[in-house]
Amino acid sequence: MAQYRIAWLPGDGIGKDVMDAARIVLDGIRLDAEYVHGDIGWDFWCREGDALPERTIELLKRVHAAMFGAITSKPVRAAEAELVPALRGTGLVYRSPIVRMRQMFDLYVCLRPCRAYAGNPLNFSDAIDLVIFRENTEDLYAGVEFSPVPADLAAALAKISKPFAPFKDLAPDAYAISCKVNTRKGSERIVRAAFEYAAQHGRKKVTVVHKANVVRATDGLFLEEARKVAAGFPGIAMDDANVDAICMWLLKNPMNYEVLVAPNLYGDIISDLVAQMVGGLGFGCSGNIGEKLAVFEPSHGSAPKYAGQYKVNPIATILAAKMMLDWLGEEAKAARLEQAVAAVIRAGKVRTYDMGGTSTTLEVAEAVAREIKG
Ligand code: NAI
Ligand code: MG
């Protein structure tokens, strides 16, 4: 029996292309693993009314980790229209399978390493080497939203708000409410994960991103929990910054940052910013990590116009596989894989279109696999 059982979830569109590439590299590094295919994505929504079928959830309960490509998703009404006729009008509502996986398996860490590899023509600056910890289950993405606003909530708000509150006396559909919900537990554990990572990887500073001067209740709580956690790590400095200011500072002096930690929404925004600074969608990778399960993926979507053409850059997905190796405790293999990626980028001979080349998705993967073998 193989040492590891890995759920293999290609999903839709280019998800399949980049996962084929990742597999070439994992086979090249000889990970002793069994890869078990799992159904996920748009086809399963259309045919079965569920983009994350029960059998895939059962599979995820019995694996060491998962690799996930990308999925296509559409707004609720457009999704309903694409259901097979027998399922239309039955009350099925499309929900993002990624968000469901995060919540169902409590994958509370979204880890996003952003490293500029030397020789990448898309680098904004070669000095960038930072890691973002984004809280992955709560904050403004908690799913507590109201549109129209129910009468009992409107009445309760009217009672406790200031007389000049802009929503007073409005009709229920004249406004909408999305709640930002941040718990002490959720804030503590993401900040702790960031400090533990810094301690394990010789990083000297963790920067906490927030907007506590304006969003006092929730971000104030986040910052308070961060300070408590930081006190337990005397060897690592903590600083903090407002989310708007950090966007400026990251562009101006990216080399000043090592580890960033943020509530869900701010983490989402700064990770796209920094991903673009180290090459964009072809390089952005992420891990959704919980206590028992972790799901690794490229940050990009299914790019339907390139589906099946084996044209897009697989490096994001190959780096996601590297993150999986680290998480499994296969650090030597992870390091070797990353060195091979760095060598292929440095040599500059095998490049997909986004890097100015004409190589295919699988040619990039084969070049990395050759480099691994030496
Ligand atoms: P996208 O990320 O799929 O593609 C946008 C554009 O970026 C592509 O047309 C292509 O030009 C470029 N691109 C993406 N990945 C690339 C790669 N590996 N190499 C080179 N270029 C690449 O975003 P879009 O078009 O907004 O969404 C398409 C579908 O994907 C939608 O249904 C959306 O909901 C879904 N989506 C899924 C995500 C996921 O599975 N995690 C994340 C983002 C979007
Ligand atoms: Mg995003």
Side-chain angles (χ1 to χ4, degrees), residues 70-73 98 281 297 300-306 312-313 353:
I71 48 141
T72 297
S73 61
I98 311 170
L281 287 167
E297 55 165 331
H300 61 73
S302 62
K305 71 177 176 196
Y306 292 126
V312 296
N313 193 340
Y353 79 91

Side-chain angles (χ1 to χ4, degrees), residues 99-120:
V99 174
R100 279 169 65 202
M101 275 196 287
R102 286 176 186 154
Q103 289 171 348
M104 202 176 296
F105 293 96
D106 200 19
L107 308 176
Y108 64 92
V109 173
C110 181
L111 175 61
R112 293 186 162 175
C114 302
R115 176 173 285 173
Y117 293 97
N120 182 353

Side-chain angles (χ1 to χ4, degrees), residues 246-247 250-251 268-278:
I246 199 77
C247 291
L250 282 169
L251 271 177
D268 196 7
I269 294 169
I270 58 172
S271 49
D272 273 21
L273 170 68
V274 184
Q276 187 57 42
M277 292 165 70
V278 298

Side-chain angles (χ1 to χ4, degrees), residues 9-45:
L9 316 173
D12 301 311
I14 61 163
K16 297 189 175 81
D17 305 28
V18 293
M19 287 285 276
D20 284 351
R23 188 58 175 277
I24 289 173
V25 174
L26 284 168
D27 288 347
I29 205 136
R30 294 172 188 272
L31 184 68
D32 182 15
E34 177 197 1
Y35 301 96
V36 188
H37 176 93
D39 291 337
I40 191 169
W42 195 247
D43 289 346
F44 303 97
W45 161 256

Side-chain angles (χ1 to χ4, degrees), residues 1-343:
M1 225 178 59
Q3 189 178 359
Y4 303 109
R5 203 172 132 87
I6 309 293
W8 198 256
L9 316 173
D12 301 311
I14 61 163
K16 297 189 175 81
D17 305 28
V18 293
M19 287 285 276
D20 284 351
R23 188 58 175 277
I24 289 173
V25 174
L26 284 168
D27 288 347
I29 205 136
R30 294 172 188 272
L31 184 68
D32 182 15
E34 177 197 1
Y35 301 96
V36 188
H37 176 93
D39 291 337
I40 191 169
W42 195 247
D43 289 346
F44 303 97
W45 161 256
C46 297
R47 273 191 265 140
E48 304 176 17
D50 194 350
L52 181 63
E54 197 55 41
R55 57 188 179 278
T56 305
I57 296 169
E58 286 306 311
L59 166 66
L60 288 168
K61 288 179 185 163
R62 280 177 275 103
V63 291
H64 294 95
M67 281 288 296
F68 165 56
I71 48 141
T72 297
S73 61
K74 296 185 187 177
V76 170
R77 259 183 229 117
E80 154 99 38
E82 289 194 34
L83 282 171
V84 291
L87 292 176
R88 264 176 244 158
T90 58
L92 289 168
V93 177
Y94 182 80
R95 285 182 300 151
S96 158
I98 311 170
V99 174
R100 279 169 65 202
M101 275 196 287
R102 286 176 186 154
Q103 289 171 348
M104 202 176 296
F105 293 96
D106 200 19
L107 308 176
Y108 64 92
V109 173
C110 181
L111 175 61
R112 293 186 162 175
C114 302
R115 176 173 285 173
Y117 293 97
N120 182 353
L122 301 172
N123 285 345
F124 174 78
S125 147
D126 284 346
I128 303 170
D129 182 10
L130 58 85
V131 178
I132 297 170
F133 280 79
R134 162 189 170 193
E135 200 289 321
N136 218 14
T137 58
E138 48 184 48
D139 195 56
L140 204 53
Y141 296 18
V144 187
E145 306 199 272
F146 305 93
S147 178
V149 178
D152 48 355
L153 177 59
L157 279 174
K159 212 189 262 172
I160 58 176
S161 332
K162 305 203 170 62
F164 50 81
F167 51 83
K168 279 213 161 162
D169 306 321
L170 290 182
D173 64 350
Y175 64 124
I177 296 177
S178 299
C179 296
K180 177 166 153 79
V181 183
N182 301 71
T183 66
R184 290 201 184 275
K185 178 186 166 197
S187 307
E188 197 271 347
R189 65 184 183 172
I190 188 68
V191 176
R192 181 169 299 283
F195 272 88
E196 278 170 359
Y197 177 95
Q200 281 160 17
H201 293 82
R203 306 270 185 153
K204 297 280 174 258
K205 186 175 76 171
V206 174
T207 303
V208 180
V209 179
H210 60 83
K211 186 76 184 180
N213 56 339
V214 179
V215 189
R216 290 166 197 273
T218 45
D219 286 356
L221 178 147
F222 191 84
L223 191 54
E224 213 175 284
E225 289 305 310
R227 293 208 168 104
K228 281 191 232 163
V229 171
F233 292 85
I236 298 164
M238 172 187 144
D239 71 355
D240 69 281
N242 281 314
V243 60
D244 45 351
I246 199 77
C247 291
M248 248 170 45
W249 289 119
L250 282 169
L251 271 177
K252 188 158 190 280
N253 298 319
M255 67 296 273
N256 287 359
Y257 298 94
E258 300 177 54
V259 178
L260 294 151
V261 60
N264 209 335
L265 174 66
Y266 309 146
D268 196 7
I269 294 169
I270 58 172
S271 49
D272 273 21
L273 170 68
V274 184
Q276 187 57 42
M277 292 165 70
V278 298
L281 287 167
F283 291 83
C285 55
S286 84
N288 303 281
I289 303 173
E291 300 296 341
K292 295 202 187 104
L293 179 71
V295 180
F296 298 90
E297 55 165 331
S299 314
H300 61 73
S302 62
K305 71 177 176 196
Y306 292 126
Q309 296 180 24
Y310 291 93
K311 216 184 139 172
V312 296
N313 193 340
I315 291 179
T317 314
I318 293 171
L319 290 173
K322 181 257 177 207
M323 295 176 73
M324 179 180 78
L325 293 172
D326 274 324
W327 193 73
L328 292 171
E330 295 283 352
E331 282 97 354
K333 285 188 163 60
R336 202 141 55 85
L337 193 163
E338 188 179 25
Q339 281 157 17
V341 170

